[in-house]
Each structure stands twice: as C-alpha cells, then as structure tokens.
Amino acid sequence: MTSTEAPPVEPESTGRPAAPRSTRRPAAPAWWTAILDPAAPRPPVKERLAALVRRHPVFAAVLAVAALIRIIAMIGYQPALFFNDSYDYIEVAMRPYPHPLRPDGYALMLLILRPFHSFALVTGLQHLMGLAMGVMIYALARRRFGLPGWGATLATLPVLLDAYQIQLEHLILSDTLFTFLAVTAVWLLLWHDRLTWRLAAALGLLAGFSWLTRSVGLLVLLGLLTFMIMRRADRRMIMVMLAAALLPIVAYMGWYKIDHGKFAMTESNGIFLYARVYKFADCHRIKDLPVEEMPLCTELVNRLPNSQDGIWNAGSPLARYTGKKFSPETNATANDFSKRVIMAQPGDYARVVAKDFLRVFAWERTVFPDRATYQQYEFGSKTSDLPKWMHGPTADKAVHYEDGRVSPRAVEPFAGFLRVYQNVFYLRGTMVAMILLVGLAGIGAMWRRLGGAGLLPWALATGLLLAPAATAEFDYRYVLPAVPLACIAAAAACSPNTRGRLRALRRSRSAERAP
C-alpha cells in the first residue's frame, strides 16, 4: 500500500542505484528510532531539541506559544472544568460498570489515573494530546506531503491555537482522547508505505478504543478499513487490523451483557435518534403505529423548545414510560418509533439534518442549543460549584477522586487573559468550510489515485461533522474532533504532487477549449 504524496527526492551519490520511489519513506522520527534500538548512540536531549528548533524555527515558535497558553489555562482554571457528562465518567471511574448511556473508554483513562487523585493531571495529559496532534500534522505535512515549514505550520494552527480546542482539552470530557486516538490512527496509516502486522494491530487497537471512547468511533474503524481495501492492502493485514479492533469491543460488549443482560455497548442510540425526530414527528403520517409507541407522539403546540429536550427535559414523552429512561425496552421502542418517523417523513428528516450540518459553517457562534450548555464551552469570569442537580452520590465521587477541592476556581489574571484570547483566537465555522473545500479540491485532483492520501482524513472529518446532525443534534464540541483530520486533508491537497496535477488539469482543459 502506498500513500506517498511527497515529491521525489534525489538520492545522494553513494555508488548504488536509487531505490524505487514506491519503496522510499521518510526517515523515522528520533523517538521511534530510540524505541527500535535503545542501544544506538544518541546526542544529549538538549542538543537534539536545539537541532530540531534550528530546522523548524517557525513551528517551534508556534508550538511554544501553544504550550504556554495551555499552561496558562491550567493555572487560570483549577483543577479542571466540568461538563454535564463529566460526572458520569467520574462515577464509572470510581465504581467501574458498563454505562448504559455512553461507552467507558474515557472512564478507563480516568480509572488508570485515579491513584494520583488529580483532575489537573487529567487535563494536563489532555493538553499534551492537543500538542501531540499538532506535531503529527506538522510531521505529515513536511515529510509526507512536502510542504515548506511555514505551510506545514499553517496546517497546525487550528489545532494548536484555537481557544475552544484548548478549553475542550481542559474539560473532563472524552472528546480530546477520542480525537487523539483517531488522529494517531490516521497518522500511522499515512506515515508508512507498507503495512506490517504490528502496524495493522496498532491501527486496529486505536480504532477499537476510539469506538469505546465515543460511539461515533465506529466511523474511524470503517474509514480505516475502507481506505485499506481501496489501496489494495494485504488481506492478512486487513484481517489483523479488524481482529485487533474487535478484541476490546467484543470484550466490552461481553461485560455489558453480564451486567445488563444484552450483548451491546449502550442503550442510548434509539433514545438519541428520538431526540433527532422529536421536533418534526407527525404521528398522523405514520401508518400502523404500534400502541406501545403512541406515548411518544406529541402535538406541535405541546413540544419543548429544543430537540435535546426530547431526552433530558422532565416533560419529554420518554418520561411517560415507567422504569429507567436508558433501559433496553425504552431504547428499543424509541429506536423503532424514530425509524418509522424517518421513513414516513424523509423530507423533514433531511431538512433538519441539513440545517444542523450547515450550522457548522456559520461565521458567528450563536448560543445553541441553550445558554447553559453554550456557556460550558467558554472560559467564564466566574466558576460555580458542582451542579445542584448532581449534588449527591456522583458529586461525592468527584470529591473522592480528587481527594480535595473539586469545584473549579478562576485565578486572575490568567483566567482573564484566556477570556480575552477566546474572544479573538478561534476557528470560525466558515474557516472550517474553507479547510474542507481545500481538501476536497485535492481529492478531486487525485481522482486517478482514488483521492490520494487526503481521502481518508477528509472523509472522516466530514463523517464526524455529519453524524451528530443525523443521529442526535448539533453541538459545538462535536465540530472540534473533525478539525485536525480536515487539516491533514488540506495539507495533502497542497502537496507539490497535487498542485502539479491541478496545473496539468487546467492546462488540458485550456487546450480542449482552444480552437
């Protein structure tokens, strides 16, 4: 399998014939060489870092600034920032069990770090993941796609310097870990010319654990699998990758069956899909609606303001069923009802999906879906105690996890700097659209090569943006995991090979139009 996009490099005069271009690959990073051969002589760390800075001065400066802003975030908001979902992850980390609402991949990371009793350590690790993603994008852009230093650095800015990305890394949430796993998998596949069983196994494990971290990680597995098949990878390597991916998934689903009596990952997919159809479902247009699903019908005048109210609001039709909301029975009923609505009203479904998908690309960030949710993505001037609706066992578990003060506090002037920074330095939705369009142009230019190396990250980025709109509801934090992948695709589109192919296409079209 070949994913090389960099221009050919003239070999040094060694008296030996040059290796075929298809067998060349960029030199392995120093850290990888150190793993392969620990006994190999290496210069001191300071010398190696100094050499890297001299070779990549622009990127080194941006990376230093990005690291500094993340340090300011850790000082400005201690010990971490919390979202509504944070407390579920903490509860599972303190008392492991397969959560019915969301898979436990992120809770597993919290469980591993639990002996340190530090949410600051968790966010610090997440900030390092953010920096690492910038380094991976830069390495691909430079070594694989042949971009100059300034161009490769430009591709990293939306990840390294975006204020909302930094704020997301500072939240106790699964999104940063999921993004890191997905980007690492794509990086590994595009960096290497040839698949080995070790590489295939690593790709599979990364895809499997990304699925365990967020349900949308299934797209990562499907994307890797499809890309490998399109590139005619060795079937044995494909099987190794698939087996490695399914290993943690099957193990988790077996655990879920022991605890909940069903071989599954969650009991929430149908309920979230119900939130998608809640605002437009018209039961008068559904034929042969089962009696047990009729309680999910609601007249237009009685509906709550937001789609997510179909899940979380106490007035949701789901509350008409007895027992736990995220039970197998309720989930199955909501899932069947939602599919009937989509089949009966495909135009309405397409309309709300398109509206939410296009919301991604708006220039201005508007308050959505409600002010309380929107403000949790902001560096606020004030911090609050744990939510009142969570005071009880889950809040107590957060205190026990930290073994100290858990309620975040803003430390000035660092917090004030971050608030000002967030008002200016963030990736607007229109910029996301431009990045995707650049990547799409590169795929079009490389259509003879099945889209080139940019196809995989572009398809994953687009899928990650479309999936929430199709299965639940738009949320600003769902945009950020797609950005690093979109940047990789845009970098691939700007490679000398792709630019040369675009020029050739323009010349051929001009020649066809000429008399």
Side-chain angles (χ1 to χ4, degrees):
M1 182 186 70
T2 301
S3 60
T4 303
E5 295 285 2
V9 180
E10 294 297 327
E12 296 180 0
S13 179
T14 59
R16 295 177 294 179
R21 181 171 178 261
S22 61
T23 63
R24 295 178 193 160
R25 65 179 178 182
W31 59 266
W32 183 251
T33 303
I35 293 174
L36 294 179
D37 186 9
R42 296 185 302 277
V45 175
K46 289 184 179 180
E47 292 184 15
R48 281 182 282 164
L49 289 176
L52 285 172
V53 171
R54 287 193 298 270
R55 288 199 298 269
H56 311 281
V58 179
F59 177 68
V62 170
L63 187 64
V65 171
L68 178 61
I69 297 172
R70 285 163 170 80
I71 292 172
I72 292 174
M74 294 193 66
I75 298 173
Y77 292 90
Q78 301 176 18
L81 295 176
F82 295 89
F83 191 78
N84 297 341
D85 300 351
S86 304
Y87 308 101
D88 285 336
Y89 294 121
I90 296 167
E91 183 178 28
V92 173
M94 295 302 294
R95 185 181 64 85
Y97 70 98
H99 200 280
L101 177 55
R102 53 183 64 86
D104 287 353
Y106 182 68
L108 175 61
M109 188 184 86
L110 295 181
L111 176 63
I112 293 172
L113 298 177
R114 191 178 72 184
F116 298 97
H117 296 291
S118 174
F119 285 118
L121 176 62
V122 176
T123 58
L125 182 59
Q126 291 176 176
H127 286 310
L128 288 177
M129 292 177 186
L131 295 174
M133 287 188 284
V135 172
M136 285 188 279
I137 295 171
Y138 181 82
L140 274 177
R142 285 286 280 161
R143 296 292 186 89
R144 299 301 286 172
F145 307 146
L147 269 64
W150 67 267
T153 302
L154 186 64
T156 70
L157 297 184
V159 177
L160 291 179
L161 299 184
D162 177 63
Y164 286 93
Q165 169 66 34
I166 296 170
Q167 199 271 351
L168 186 66
E169 294 168 13
H170 208 62
L171 282 164
I172 304 298
L173 273 180
S174 62
D175 300 77
T176 300
L177 176 61
F178 166 75
T179 310
F180 177 76
L181 292 171
V183 171
T184 303
V186 171
W187 182 84
L188 281 175
L189 186 56
L190 297 184
W191 183 266
H192 294 84
D193 288 323
R194 186 174 62 87
L195 275 174
T196 64
W197 71 267
R198 289 185 179 88
L199 177 59
L203 290 171
L205 289 174
L206 287 167
F209 279 107
S210 72
W211 190 1
L212 281 179
T213 303
R214 276 187 57 192
S215 297
V216 76
L218 174 60
L219 293 178
V220 178
L221 174 58
L222 295 178
L224 293 175
L225 182 62
T226 304
F227 189 77
M228 292 167 68
I229 293 173
M230 291 176 61
R231 293 308 180 90
R232 298 180 181 180
D234 189 319
R235 292 180 181 178
R236 294 171 298 179
M237 298 302 103
I238 295 177
M239 295 305 296
V240 168
M241 189 278 288
L242 194 57
L246 293 178
L247 182 64
I249 296 298
V250 172
Y252 183 83
M253 294 174 74
W255 183 33
Y256 195 97
K257 180 174 177 58
I258 293 172
D259 196 271
H260 296 283
K262 183 180 178 181
F263 194 72
M265 287 185 66
T266 64
E267 291 293 354
S268 61
N269 60 308
I271 292 173
F272 278 106
L273 189 60
Y274 175 72
R276 176 71 292 174
V277 306
Y278 168 69
K279 292 292 291 180
F280 67 85
D282 183 356
C283 290
H284 300 292
R285 298 167 63 178
I286 303 175
K287 296 180 180 180
D288 302 321
L289 183 66
V291 175
E292 63 270 17
E293 296 177 15
M294 289 182 179
L296 295 176
C297 298
T298 306
E299 293 298 326
L300 181 61
V301 294
N302 297 325
R303 286 178 192 164
L304 298 163
N306 301 310
S307 293
Q308 65 171 349
D309 290 327
I311 302 177
W312 308 114
N313 196 294
S316 166
L318 290 171
R320 297 169 183 170
Y321 293 95
T322 59
K324 294 181 179 179
K325 180 183 296 184
F326 293 97
S327 66
E329 297 76 19
T330 304
N331 187 61
T333 301
N335 191 49
D336 187 73
F337 175 84
S338 302
K339 290 179 179 179
R340 290 176 185 272
V341 172
I342 293 171
M343 293 298 294
Q345 302 172 251
D348 293 328
Y349 175 69
R351 176 179 53 80
V352 297
V353 171
K355 182 178 180 181
D356 265 13
F357 180 67
L358 293 177
R359 196 188 299 273
V360 172
F361 309 118
W363 178 258
E364 296 289 345
R365 288 178 67 101
T366 57
V367 176
F368 187 87
D370 55 58
R371 183 165 296 279
T373 301
Y374 181 83
Q375 287 179 339
Q376 292 182 85
Y377 303 136
E378 300 273 340
F379 286 116
S381 57
K382 296 181 180 179
T383 56
S384 58
D385 292 334
L386 300 184
K388 293 181 179 179
W389 54 268
M390 290 301 297
H391 275 302
T394 304
D396 291 343
K397 286 182 173 62
V399 174
H400 293 155
Y401 187 99
E402 178 71 15
D403 196 18
R405 176 188 171 91
V406 138
S407 298
R409 61 190 181 97
V411 179
E412 302 295 348
F414 305 100
F417 166 82
L418 289 170
R419 292 193 296 274
V420 174
Y421 182 85
Q422 193 171 37
N423 288 334
V424 180
F425 295 97
Y426 67 92
L427 188 69
R428 294 181 178 271
T430 310
M431 298 176 183
V432 176
M434 293 173 62
I435 295 171
L436 286 172
L437 287 175
V438 171
L440 183 60
I443 293 171
M446 302 295 288
W447 66 272
R448 291 182 182 273
R449 298 183 183 180
L450 302 178
L455 176 61
L456 173 62
W458 189 90
L460 286 178
T462 305
L464 291 176
L465 293 175
L466 185 59
T471 60
E473 186 181 37
F474 169 82
D475 197 302
Y476 281 110
R477 71 183 173 102
Y478 295 151
V479 177
L480 294 176
V483 171
L485 297 166
C487 290
I488 292 174
C494 296
S495 70
N497 278 357
T498 307
R499 296 200 307 270
R501 193 166 292 275
L502 281 171
R503 287 193 294 268
L505 287 173
R506 286 196 296 268
R507 286 196 296 268
S508 64
R509 291 173 182 173
S510 299
E512 290 174 358
R513 289 194 297 266

